[in-house]
Amino acid sequence: MAIKTRFTELFGVEHPIAQGGMQWVGKAELVSAVANAGALGFLTALTQPTPEALSKEIARCREMTDKPFGVNLTILPAMTPPPYAEYRAAIIESGIKIVETAGYKPQEHVDHFKANGVKVIHKCTAVRHALSAERMGVDAISIDGFECAGHPGEDDIPGLILIPAADDKVKIPMIASGGFGDARGLVAALALGADGVNMGTRFCATKEAPIHENFKQAMVANDERATDLIFRTLHNTARVARNAISQQVVAIERAGGAKFEDVADLVKGARGREGLESGDVDHGVWTAGMVQGLIHDVPSVQELVDRIVAEAETLIRGRLAGMVG
């Protein structure tokens, strides 16, 4: 059985499952495996140090799959912003037709991509942001609940409310993000009004994810309580895996009056990246969601996607259909 939705039709993929952009993880090895499994994978543009490096990574991914995949471009306020226009040009010139945008004021990026025939999914954490993105002309949105890894926004609305609240108002196709890792989540998201799910943390715990095995085993061992919310007092909340460093950050914030400079050395990206490569899960902060509580193994991407789709079919045709008299 193939579960057909507006998402699968719009993006030309077999299954209503996406692997959105993940810093340091969204590389060709993982993205091509997701594409080959019939889902929609995204390379993470800013994981690559330069636009030229991104062009090479796109070419490398194409050597590993002939199926559709996209690129994530996350726009964040920065003292010295990356050369976004050059990254956009690399994406367009490489012939990529699907982009996931996230972050701050994406209008110029959306306009540029749309003018070049690129379909855009914008990731949002609130219904009002989704409606704003719809007005900007994006093709689909990804609505990110409070359970998610990374930045869940400041409204603290879990997916059980956020997804149907968005479905009430948003007309374009929508995928649900935050807390998804198995067939039950996929079927629930479809019931709540989404056209598919986006999984980040779950795809990190697969054989092809380019991170150290220690992190994958940590996600298997962890339960749903094993995350911390950092930058809470700085109004830039981020959900990360609970470890020695995240606990230090939480303690500094809890003491009151914390500025970013007080935690900058603990949370810098280079430190997190070193940990992912060396296998030291306490070296820096690393991103993971509450869905850790639903991760019990480290399968291949193909095994994971096949299992989710097969179990979703059993749920829809069996358990749910059997409840209707």
Side-chain angles (χ1 to χ4, degrees):
M1 168 181 168
I3 300 172
K4 292 205 180 303
T5 69
R6 293 188 299 169
F7 170 80
T8 61
E9 300 291 314
L10 181 60
F11 296 108
V13 293
E14 200 178 340
H15 305 306
I17 298 170
Q19 162 261 309
M22 295 182 282
Q23 187 71 340
W24 314 132
V25 187
K27 298 179 181 176
E29 294 85 349
L30 178 60
V31 174
S32 61
V34 171
N36 287 331
L40 182 59
F42 287 90
L43 294 171
T44 311
L46 300 183
T47 288
Q48 300 303 321
T50 63
E52 294 75 24
L54 174 60
S55 297
K56 286 179 184 163
E57 190 72 359
I58 291 169
R60 194 164 78 91
C61 197
R62 282 225 174 90
E63 288 168 8
M64 299 158 84
T65 184
D66 58 0
K67 295 193 173 176
F69 65 89
V71 175
N72 163 281
L73 186 65
T74 296
I75 306 109
L76 295 171
M79 298 292 282
T80 46
Y84 286 120
E86 292 172 34
Y87 275 100
R88 290 198 310 267
I91 291 165
I92 292 163
E93 286 161 18
S94 296
I96 290 290
K97 292 299 174 192
I98 308 167
V99 164
E100 178 189 64
T101 53
Y104 191 67
K105 296 193 174 171
Q107 183 76 68
E108 69 171 301
H109 307 283
V110 172
D111 289 347
H112 190 189
F113 286 129
K114 294 296 292 175
N116 285 277
V118 178
K119 293 189 175 83
V120 178
I121 304 177
H122 187 63
K123 196 174 215 179
C124 344
T125 59
V127 176
R128 63 189 183 280
H129 300 155
L131 291 170
S132 169
E134 187 175 54
R135 287 192 297 274
M136 279 182 206
V138 304
D139 298 276
I141 60 145
S142 177
I143 195 85
D144 223 341
F146 185 53
E147 305 91 333
C148 75
H151 292 279
E154 306 301 316
D155 295 341
D156 301 358
I157 310 296
L160 196 60
I161 303 299
L162 188 62
I163 300 160
D167 180 51
D168 282 344
K169 295 182 175 176
V170 174
K171 296 180 182 65
I172 57 177
M174 173 177 75
I175 55 173
S177 303
F180 296 101
D182 62 19
R184 295 169 298 184
L186 172 58
V187 174
L190 297 175
L192 291 169
D195 298 286
V197 296
N198 175 59
M199 303 191 309
T201 306
R202 187 62 190 95
F203 276 124
C204 287
T206 58
K207 289 190 168 77
E208 292 89 346
I211 59 176
H212 197 284
E213 185 66 22
N214 291 359
F215 287 84
K216 300 176 188 184
Q217 294 307 324
M219 286 181 262
V220 171
N222 284 344
D223 67 13
E224 62 278 4
R225 299 166 299 169
T227 67
D228 276 324
L229 292 169
I230 61 173
F231 310 150
R232 208 64 173 138
T233 61
L234 304 172
H235 308 294
N236 188 27
T237 301
R239 187 181 297 283
V240 296
R242 178 169 292 166
N243 68 1
I245 303 294
S246 71
Q247 289 279 282
Q248 276 182 260
V249 176
V250 169
I252 290 167
E253 289 195 66
R254 208 169 268 152
K259 299 185 182 68
F260 183 71
E261 302 81 71
D262 301 328
V263 297
D265 190 56
L266 293 170
V267 303
K268 62 187 179 187
R271 189 167 174 162
R273 185 178 192 171
E274 287 162 12
L276 288 174
E277 290 169 357
S278 73
D280 182 353
V281 296
D282 283 313
H283 185 71
V285 293
W286 53 284
T287 303
M290 290 178 166
V291 76
Q292 289 177 108
L294 304 178
I295 295 174
H296 309 303
D297 62 353
V298 183
S300 70
V301 166
Q302 186 78 54
E303 288 165 347
L304 177 65
V305 171
D306 286 352
R307 180 168 73 200
I308 289 173
V309 173
E311 289 179 2
E313 176 188 355
T314 301
L315 262 176
I316 294 165
R317 287 193 169 157
R319 185 161 181 256
L320 297 182
M323 290 176 179
V324 182

